[in-house]
């Protein structure tokens, strides 16, 4: 028997059967509801801890998380669940979350939205969880002492974050007990978890491997002020370098859209600005990463994908695509960008795959972007965001309205 | 004929034209290699002022791509090795000439310390490592490659990987009063030869030890090269000890520890460049950097100028046991790891 280490609320190791009995028991203060005030109270207190200056300075990604979970934001998100007419909204029940091992904060977004929808949750936290994840667990446990007894009791009764070694028995039991299973961590994780059957009524919410790219309007760049251009480079830095460009939302290719001569000039200006941002941020690329980037870049050259490679120090590698219609979607190393010119956004349409998630954009009008997405007609792309917002998590992710997915509708006709 | 004769100035003068010609040869014969150099903006026939100016390939390229400068039907031997970093194995393609040249030059290099004759040989390994001729581990390939330089081979480990003290005693009784060759991987030499010889009071003073493979596995035993040499000398009488540094991607080229120890030397057909990992410029003596290995041997694949994943430092130039640059290997570059949305290790989810 594998026992589970209980990270939140902190408790003695437990067998999976007992854990399931506990979270499925009727809580003493009454069942959780959609937007349950006890959960809102707890999450708000927890968010405040994340926004404490000392913590936010150490882990900037926790500040974004804290911001996302502030009281006003929660109210706004929950307002989208209000029903009218014949429909009433209820929690799904028990949700089993398998977050990625190497993005420290995703498990919190996944858990918090599910808890706000009124679900009992079991979250598998990676044993390899690093600094930010540890800080999150600490803040969660500390928040239990800051809330009303009613809130603390119901959270303790219904929410669990656990760590366990690879185990068919545990993953199997949690899968079978879940009303909804949420799998992050890419294709590999989805395939591994799909081995475990769900109850007939249950379903999976999967977040497979995704890739993202950026588009910049030559006209928009030409019309932008020096400050706006600098801002674009800074935003792009955050989009790309925060998670070593390995986050699914980080752009891996940049398309300059407009006339060829303008695209060349704009691309060069942007590259110089990005290099100066990297310098200002004192961005350090480890030697091993610098070598990795060369392996990838040279490999792309061998494969005939790129016609020119240029390095601005170790931090920035720019690969000119031989053919703009063949973009690399795989990770090529932190700070490695394929670069190409297109005459119009429309040229991108046939290239887009279902796998494409985020389009970071600079300099386009809303109408241009809506037209582009309309032309895509669902081929791919889940979100279009301005430079600087690629990594900003939202309640709608990978095409799913998460709060809606975490709840269900009951209709009443008298 | 010693292959440790060229001063650094002679090396530049003699090797640079050969290496420039090799670069042109590989560009003409390997489309992939040519594409890399073209992408970097290096013109065909671009002049190179020094060996350090030659374009380098990361050694891992041979794990991710098939790079060869010979047609498929001339491939005589394909060497594969899985290194310790990353997935996949290097694939190195040799034609008949290249296979012959690498054996010949390895022999010429080792002759410096072994002399011209084949010596009785102690293998610090198990015969099992070369039993399966179909699939060799890197260790097996090393043992087999080195076996050519000795005769009367005796294996120090039995079939169960246990030290065979009787076999070693028998070997020493028979051949121990004249020079004999000892070969093995550094950590095995320490665990299975040094400790056994010390505990049984064996006399290895006529031995010539050739060993390789790094010190990582000996760190927790607080054994570095200096300690290794000191203890062997004090406890077994063995003083002729030569560590070497080499890799399958530059097969046949080994950088050999000089007689006075603690520094590796380049044979006349090879060179080394220590690079600053920030600027990629050559480091001065005493400043650590990433090791680039240079050799005129690789003609059947573009492996003549390779950036390794090891850190090293020049100990001096033209001021050691033999002419040219001499250096130490300090360890491996730490692995590049990225955080991302996808779990990059298998079995993470279940």
């Amino acid at each position: 028997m594998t026992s589970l280490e209980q990270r939140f609320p902190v408790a003695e190791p437990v067998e999976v059967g007992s854990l399931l009995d506990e979270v499925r028991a009727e809580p003493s203060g009454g069942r959780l509801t959609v937007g349950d005030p006890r959960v809102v109270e707890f999450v708000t207190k927890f968010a405040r801890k994340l926004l404490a200056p000392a913590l936010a300075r150490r882990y900037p990604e926790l500040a974004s998380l804290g911001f996302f979970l502030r009281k006003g934001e929660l109210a706004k998100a929950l307002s989208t669940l209000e029903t009218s007419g014949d429909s009433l909204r209820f929690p799904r029940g028990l949700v089993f979350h398998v977050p990625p091992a190497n993005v420290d904060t995703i498990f919190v977004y996944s858990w918090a939205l599910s808890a706000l929808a009124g679900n009992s949750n079991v979250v598998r936290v990676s044993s390899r969880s690093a600094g930010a994840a540890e800080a999150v667990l600490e803040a969660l446990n500390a928040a239990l002492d800051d809330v009303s007894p009613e809130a603390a009791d119901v959270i303790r009764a219904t929410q669990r974050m656990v760590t366990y070694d690879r185990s068919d028995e545990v993953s199997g039991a949690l899968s079978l007990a879940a009303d909804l299973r949420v799998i992050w961590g890419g294709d590999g994780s989805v395939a591994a978890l799909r081995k475990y059957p769900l109850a007939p009524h249950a379903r999976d919410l999967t977040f497979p491997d995704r890739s993202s790219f950026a588009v910049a309007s030559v006209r928009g760049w030409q019309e932008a002020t020096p400050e706006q251009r600098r801002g674009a480079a800074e935003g792009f830095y955050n989009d790309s370098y925060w998670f070593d460009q390995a986050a699914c939302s980080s752009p891996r290719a940049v398309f300059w859209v407009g006339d060829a001569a303008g695209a060349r000039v704009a691309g060069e200006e942007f590259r110089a600005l990005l290099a100066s941002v990297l310098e200002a941020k004192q961005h350090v690329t480890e030697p091993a990463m610098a070598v990795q980037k060369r392996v990838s870049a040279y490999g792309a050259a061998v494969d005939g994908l790129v016609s020119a490679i240029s390095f601005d120090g170790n931090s920035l590698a720019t690969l000119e695509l031989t053919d703009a219609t063949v973009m690399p979607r795989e990770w090529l190393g932190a700070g490695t960008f394929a670069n190409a010119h297109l005459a119009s956004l429309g040229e991108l349409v046939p290239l887009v795959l279902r796998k494409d998630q985020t389009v970071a954009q600079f300099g386009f009008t809303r109408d241009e972007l809506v037209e582009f997405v309309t032309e895509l007609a669902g081929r791919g792309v889940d979100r279009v965001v301005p430079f600087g917002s690629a990594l900003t998590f939202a309640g709608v992710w990978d095409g799913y309205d998460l709060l809606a997915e975490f709840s269900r509708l009951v209709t009443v006709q008298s | 004929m010693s292959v440790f004769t060229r001063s650094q100035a002679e090396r530049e003068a003699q090797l640079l034209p050969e290496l420039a010609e090799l670069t042109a040869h590989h560009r003409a014969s390997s489309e992939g290699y040519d594409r890399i150099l073209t992408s970097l903006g290096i013109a065909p026939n671009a002049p190179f002022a020094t060996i350090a100016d030659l374009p380098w390939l990361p050694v891992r390229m041979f794990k991710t791509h098939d790079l060869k400068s010979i047609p498929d039907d001339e491939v005589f031997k394909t060497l594969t090795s899985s290194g310790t970093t990353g997935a996949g194995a290097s694939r190195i393609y040799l034609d008949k000439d290249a296979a012959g040249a690498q054996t010949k030059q390895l022999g010429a290099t080792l002759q410096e310390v072994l002399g011209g004759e084949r010596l009785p040989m102690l293998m610090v390994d198990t015969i099992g490592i070369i039993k399966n001729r179909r699939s060799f581990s890197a260790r097996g390939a090393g043992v087999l490659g080195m076996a050519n330089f000795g005769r009367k081979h005796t294996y120090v480990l039995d079939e169960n990987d246990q030290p065979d003290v009787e076999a070693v005693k028998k070997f020493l009784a028979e051949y121990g009063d004249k020079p004999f060759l000892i070969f093995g991987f550094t950590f095995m030499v320490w665990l299975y030869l040094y400790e056994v010889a010390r505990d049984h009071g064996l006399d290895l003073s006529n031995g010539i030890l050739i060993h390789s493979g790094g010190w990582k596995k000996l760190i927790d035993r607080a054994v570095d090269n200096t300690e290794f040499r000191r203890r062997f000398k004090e406890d077994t009488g063995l003083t002729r000890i030569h560590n070497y540094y080499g890799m399958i991607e530059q097969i046949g080229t080994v950088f050999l520890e000089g007689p006075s120890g603690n520094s590796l030397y380049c044979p006349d057909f090879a060179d080394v460049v220590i690079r600053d990992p920030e600027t990629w410029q050559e480091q001065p003596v005493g400043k650590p950097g990433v090791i680039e290995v240079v050799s005129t041997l690789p003609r059947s694949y573009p492996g003549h100028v390779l950036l390794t994943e090891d850190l090293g430092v020049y100990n001096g130039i033209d001021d050691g046991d033999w002419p040219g640059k001499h250096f130490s290997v300090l360890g491996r570059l730490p692995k590049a790891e990225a955080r991302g949305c996808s779990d990059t290790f298998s079995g993470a989810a279940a």
Side-chain angles (χ1 to χ4, degrees), chain A residues 101-102 124 128 209 248 288 292 314, chain B residues 60 277 334 340-343 345 349:
Chain A
N102 46 2
R124 182 182 183 188
R128 300 188 309 154
D209 288 339
C248 40
Q292 168 63 44
N314 280 340
Chain B
R60 214 181 323 147
C341 298
S342 283
D343 287 337
F345 66 118

Side-chain angles (χ1 to χ4, degrees), chain A residues 65 68-69 95-100 105-116 119 121 123 161 181-184 205 207 393 402-403 406:
Chain A
L65 175 62
F68 180 82
L69 298 174
V95 183
F96 173 34
H97 305 254
V98 187
T105 49
I106 288 273
F107 77 94
V108 197
Y109 288 103
S110 189
W111 164 80
L113 290 171
S114 178
L116 287 163
N119 295 298
N121 292 287
V123 183
M161 294 190 186
R181 182 169 60 183
V182 186
I183 310 173
W184 303 80
L205 191 56
F207 298 90
F393 193 84
L402 292 176
L403 278 171
F406 289 143

Side-chain angles (χ1 to χ4, degrees), chain B residues 19 59 63 90 100 103 185 211 229 238 255 284 318 322:
Chain B
L19 292 161
V59 72
K63 284 190 165 65
S90 287
T103 310
F185 288 88
H211 71 105
R229 297 177 72 90
L238 181 66
F255 298 86
D318 292 333
W322 298 318

Side-chain angles (χ1 to χ4, degrees), chain B residues 147-311:
Chain B
N148 292 326
F149 301 107
R151 60 188 174 91
K152 308 285 180 194
H153 305 93
T154 293
Y155 286 82
V156 171
L157 299 182
D158 66 16
E159 299 275 347
N160 305 316
D161 291 351
Q162 293 304 309
D164 188 346
V165 182
E166 288 315 308
V168 178
K169 281 183 175 166
K170 187 161 163 275
F171 176 92
L172 290 173
E174 214 162 332
Y175 306 109
D177 55 351
K178 286 206 188 72
F180 60 92
L181 170 57
I182 309 169
F183 171 75
F185 288 88
T186 306
F187 79 99
M188 295 182 69
V189 168
W190 187 254
L191 291 183
Y192 302 121
L193 182 68
Y194 165 77
E195 291 185 359
V196 168
R198 179 196 60 196
D199 295 346
H200 292 85
L202 304 179
D203 174 13
L204 304 176
S205 56
N206 279 318
I208 304 168
L209 169 63
I210 307 280
H211 71 105
S212 179
W215 302 93
K216 211 165 60 186
K217 289 181 174 159
L218 294 177
I219 284 173
D220 51 0
R221 294 171 183 259
V223 175
D224 60 7
N225 199 25
T226 306
E227 181 68 1
F228 184 93
R229 297 177 72 90
R230 186 180 69 81
R231 300 263 292 272
F232 256 114
K233 182 180 170 183
E234 284 178 12
D235 296 335
T236 73
L238 181 66
T239 56
R240 280 176 287 175
I241 297 176
H242 299 275
N243 187 14
Y244 73 87
Y245 173 67
M247 61 208 64
I248 199 157
E249 293 84 356
Q250 232 176 49
I251 183 99
T253 305
V254 298
F255 298 86
L256 193 62
E257 189 177 20
S260 47
N262 289 322
S263 211
L264 299 159
Y265 293 80
C266 314
D268 286 344
F269 52 87
D271 201 8
V272 63
V273 180
I274 305 285
R275 293 195 180 272
D276 177 338
E278 199 54 51
T279 65
W280 302 104
Q281 296 303 301
E282 188 170 13
Q283 292 284 45
V285 170
K287 277 199 95 167
V290 185
I291 300 173
E292 172 191 310
V293 290
V294 180
S295 167
T296 58
L297 286 189
R299 194 162 188 90
S300 58
Y301 63 99
H304 55 311
V305 189
L306 296 178
L307 188 85
T308 70
E309 296 185 340
D310 296 308
L311 293 165

